[in-house]
Amino acid sequence: MLPLIKEWGVKKFIIAYDMDSLQRNDDSIKSAKKQQSLFETLKEFAAQVLQLGIDVYLWTWNLNDGKGLDDLLLANKLPFEVNLRTGERELVDLNALQRM
């Protein structure tokens, strides 16, 4: 996937995933390892995209507002955007996205 991202000239890469994937199923070691593995995979992938000189953002929201991005938008809410290079966080601006 990384060669395609570079070939297509991507300038802004957004990672958004269902918020319930961050929740543990239970307090077991297996559940904790699964959650940690997901986090490590996400971190590694984001780092590889950043090394290509592409800005990487994480879209996140409160699980109570919806499990997935589709649920969130259907509830007329927007995610927060976290810049993984700078750590800055702001509400997603749909108008700015449409101008891209």
Side-chain angles (χ1 to χ4, degrees), residues 2 21 33 43-44 68 72 74 77 80 83-84 88 92 94-95 98-99:
L2 290 170
S21 64
K33 284 184 178 181
K43 248 177 44 175
E44 171 74 22
L72 184 72
L74 285 172
K77 297 195 176 192
F80 280 92
N83 182 323
L84 295 184
E88 293 176 25
V92 168
L94 290 181
N95 292 323
Q98 291 174 348
R99 291 188 296 267

Side-chain angles (χ1 to χ4, degrees), residues 71-89:
D71 301 320
L72 184 72
L73 296 175
L74 285 172
N76 292 318
K77 297 195 176 192
L78 296 172
F80 280 92
E81 182 173 88
V82 180
N83 182 323
L84 295 184
R85 189 179 308 277
T86 66
E88 293 176 25
R89 179 183 166 129

Side-chain angles (χ1 to χ4, degrees), residues 1 10-11 15-16 18 21 23-24 28-29 34 38 43 47-50 56 61-62 70 75 81 83 89 95-96 98:
M1 186 174 195
V10 172
K11 303 268 188 265
I15 300 171
D18 286 359
S21 64
Q23 288 187 317
R24 292 185 188 174
S28 70
I29 293 173
K34 181 180 174 184
L38 172 65
K43 248 177 44 175
Q48 290 176 7
V49 176
L50 282 166
V56 180
W61 55 91
N62 187 320
D70 55 339
E81 182 173 88
N83 182 323
R89 179 183 166 129
N95 292 323
Q98 291 174 348

Side-chain angles (χ1 to χ4, degrees), residues 5-67:
I5 291 169
K6 188 174 182 177
E7 179 183 326
W8 291 339
V10 172
K11 303 268 188 265
K12 181 175 183 174
F13 191 83
I14 300 168
I15 300 171
Y17 51 87
D18 286 359
M19 289 291 101
D20 65 338
S21 64
L22 297 175
Q23 288 187 317
R24 292 185 188 174
N25 296 334
D26 52 43
D27 287 336
S28 70
I29 293 173
K30 180 180 177 182
S31 184
K33 284 184 178 181
K34 181 180 174 184
Q35 184 185 41
Q36 184 64 32
S37 175
L38 172 65
F39 180 72
E40 292 300 325
T41 300
L42 173 67
K43 248 177 44 175
E44 171 74 22
F45 182 65
Q48 290 176 7
V49 176
L50 282 166
Q51 286 177 350
L52 295 175
I54 298 168
D55 291 328
V56 180
Y57 297 84
L58 176 65
W59 279 10
T60 186
W61 55 91
N62 187 320
L63 180 58
N64 293 330
D65 292 333
K67 178 179 86 166

